[in-house]
Amino acid sequence: MTTVPSPCINWCDINPENTYCRGCFRTLNEIASWSELSDQEKLAVWSELEMRKPQTSQ
């Protein structure tokens, strides 16, 4: 049985403007409850992360 990995990159800093971690883009609640979430709930969080990342100009 495979579990969904954490998106943590060990750069923990909460942005006060949007309350997302600047490293993994999760909320404090998502970080705190990660170990208790089901795989389906973890996948739902993962699907939100890309939309939370700031857009960078290329």
Side-chain angles (χ1 to χ4, degrees):
M1 180 178 205
T2 305
T3 60
V4 178
S6 169
C8 182
I9 63 166
N10 295 317
W11 179 34
C12 304
D13 180 34
I14 301 300
N15 182 336
E17 294 177 16
N18 59 22
T19 69
Y20 298 143
C21 174
R22 290 184 170 120
C24 68
F25 301 99
R26 291 181 292 169
T27 64
L28 278 176
N29 186 46
E30 291 167 343
I31 293 167
S33 63
W34 187 259
S35 63
E36 298 174 9
L37 296 177
S38 69
D39 282 351
Q40 184 176 1
E41 292 169 319
K42 289 175 181 179
L43 290 172
V45 171
W46 267 103
S47 70
E48 294 288 320
L49 300 182
E50 196 61 38
M51 293 183 294
R52 294 177 183 174
K53 290 182 182 180
Q55 299 300 310
T56 58
S57 57
Q58 296 179 341

